Structures are given as structure tokens and as C-alpha cells.
Amino acid sequence: MPSRINRRVASRESVFLRGVATGFTAAEPSVHRVRNISAGGACIDGAGHLKVGQTLLLDIGRLEEIAATTVWVRDELAGLRFAKDIDPLDAKTRGQASPPRGKFSQG
């Protein structure tokens, strides 16, 4: 069984990404700036309305409906812990990856 990533020492990357959060009690999704991200979580801006312990679904890049729990809120920042580890590269990539085009492609 693979070991879990130690979330406190996991590599965090400073980013400037758009994230859309949908809470289970919110009528409308909310748009946030993702300030940093790691395999186990993220820090988002514009999140002063979130509550510690609140569960939500987050869309970032080509990742959709990442289950996350709010673990802290300070001013307009919030720390989120993902239910399952993600690949931060997928969060930094928009849409689906296109197949490479080269001399062997037919398109």
C-alpha cells in the first residue's frame, strides 16, 4: 500500500490559476484565484465566506470536481485539503491535452 504524502512538507508551487468552487449549500459556484497548489491541497483567494470544515468541489485547469475540505480561513484566504492527491501539472493545464502533431500525423 503506497504511503500518503506528508502534506506539511509536500512541494507547493506558487501559481496564478482560476478556480471555480461549488459548495454543497451554495446556490452558485464562486470564482477564486488559486495562489499555491500541491498534490494534497491549495490556497485560494476571495474565500472569506468559507467555513472551516466546509466541503466543496473545485475545478482547476483540466481537473474537475476535486473534492476538498476547508482546513483554515484567514481574511480572504483559505487552505483546502484535497480528498485524494492530484497531479499539480494537471491543474496548470487548461482543457484536454491535444495529441502531438508531427510528420506522422494525418491531420
Side-chain angles (χ1 to χ4, degrees):
M1 183 163 142
S3 63
R4 298 267 310 157
I5 293 174
N6 182 338
R7 296 179 191 283
R8 294 303 313 153
V9 297
S11 175
R12 293 185 185 131
E13 297 183 51
S14 291
V15 293
F16 188 82
L17 300 171
R18 177 181 186 265
V20 178
T22 305
F24 293 103
T25 58
E28 297 290 324
S30 53
V31 178
H32 304 273
R33 175 182 162 213
V34 180
R35 295 177 63 124
N36 69 52
I37 193 164
S38 70
C43 174
I44 62 173
D45 235 337
H49 64 284
L50 295 178
K51 305 287 184 229
V52 172
Q54 183 176 355
T55 302
L56 51 92
L57 298 175
L58 188 63
D59 297 344
I60 312 170
R62 67 179 179 189
L63 296 175
E64 296 180 347
E65 296 186 348
I66 306 164
T69 301
T70 307
V71 292
W72 58 263
V73 178
R74 282 186 216 104
D75 301 319
E76 287 298 310
L77 297 177
L80 305 177
R81 179 184 314 133
F82 301 142
K84 293 183 181 178
D85 292 335
I86 57 120
D87 182 346
L89 183 58
D90 288 335
K92 296 190 297 185
T93 304
R94 291 184 181 198
Q96 292 183 325
S98 300
R101 297 181 63 90
K103 64 181 184 179
F104 298 110
S105 68
Q106 295 184 11

